[in-house]
Amino acid sequence: MADFPVEYRPDDDSYLYEEIATQDALNLRAEQTQSFMLGLDNQLFIDDLSIIPRIFQQLYCFHYGLAHLGMTSVRDVMGKLLGNWTGGASAVNIFTGLKNIIPVIHRPQIASLQFNSPGHIELNLLPNLALSIEQVAARLSSPIRTKRADALYKNTYSYFKDNGLSGFDDERGLEVRDISPETLENIVQRVRIFFKCFGWTDYHSKFNLIDAHPLQQLRAVLAYYRRLKILNQYIIDDKLEIGRSRVVGR
């Protein structure tokens, strides 16, 4: 603040009144956070206590971006993070960038942490986003749906390899080239099928609002799926329960 011109500094009693606040700001203020549990149980190592909240936060950030694509600022940032089709940001940067667009009041905040097998991480966050993660995780915990999603992922890997496209299966930058109309349509269809697997009927139309090539859209969805699989393995191993703590029964 020392180098900031005095005439531009706010007064000590300055407030952001509703009369001068943007509609987006007012809408964000209306979204209230609530308590949400990540139940923990059985044998966990210190790495697990780092991985579980980190992956959950990354999924939360992705859902936040999708849920707020109606806001121009969020939509523009997601478009930049995905990159234009002649290049690409890494998948890690996508999730880091999405975290940075979330207002502090909406970021997952630890309210309590308890573990004595069972235990929990109690978070304060937007409940609708946490619920959407809980729902997609439960959906893909079904052996049949998991098998279908894995088959789609592996088939996409093979398809990209056969068509000379690489980079979608790891965290590096994406290599792209001229894509034929047939290949482009195939990519668009794969994004649509993944969204159907996730049960995201409302998200797909919003996702198309992003100014990004379908190849980048698919890459983001695949990055999301890889993270969801990590979290789901904890659920399958009975080490994690999203939305409920066995300690407090909620």
Side-chain angles (χ1 to χ4, degrees), residues 59 62 66 82 91 94-95 152-153 168 187 190-198 200 204 207 210 214-228:
L59 299 183
F62 196 83
L66 290 179
L82 293 181
I94 290 173
F95 291 99
L152 176 60
Y153 183 91
F168 82 100
I187 292 171
R190 288 175 188 274
V191 173
R192 188 178 299 116
I193 295 174
F194 265 109
F195 270 65
K196 186 176 181 180
C197 286
F198 298 157
W200 289 353
H204 188 257
F207 199 57
I210 303 174
L215 189 58
Q216 297 287 27
Q217 293 184 357
L218 179 56
R219 183 170 184 261
V221 172
L222 293 170
Y224 174 94
Y225 179 66
R226 288 194 294 274
R227 285 155 176 79
L228 181 63

Side-chain angles (χ1 to χ4, degrees), residues 7 16 21-22 47 75 79 90 110 112 123 131 157 181 201 221 246:
E7 59 269 25
L16 180 60
T22 64
D47 287 350
R75 189 165 62 248
S90 73
I110 295 178
S112 67
L123 299 171
L131 180 61
Y157 184 101
T201 54
V221 172
R246 295 175 184 176

Side-chain angles (χ1 to χ4, degrees), residues 133-200:
I133 298 173
E134 180 182 353
Q135 289 172 339
V136 70
R139 184 180 179 87
L140 290 187
S141 292
S142 161
I144 295 177
R145 288 191 175 122
T146 298
K147 186 176 181 180
R148 289 175 179 171
D150 282 342
L152 176 60
Y153 183 91
K154 292 175 182 177
N155 179 268
T156 302
Y157 184 101
S158 299
Y159 180 83
F160 272 60
K161 187 175 181 180
D162 293 343
N163 286 271
L165 297 169
S166 62
F168 82 100
D169 57 325
D170 54 35
E171 305 299 302
R172 298 172 299 175
L174 180 65
E175 298 176 16
V176 296
R177 58 174 176 76
D178 291 337
I179 299 177
S180 68
E182 294 78 12
T183 301
L184 181 61
E185 178 56 33
N186 189 288
I187 292 171
V188 171
Q189 184 66 17
R190 288 175 188 274
V191 173
R192 188 178 299 116
I193 295 174
F194 265 109
F195 270 65
K196 186 176 181 180
C197 286
F198 298 157
W200 289 353

Side-chain angles (χ1 to χ4, degrees), residues 23 159 240 245:
Q23 188 58 49
Y159 180 83
L240 172 67
S245 168

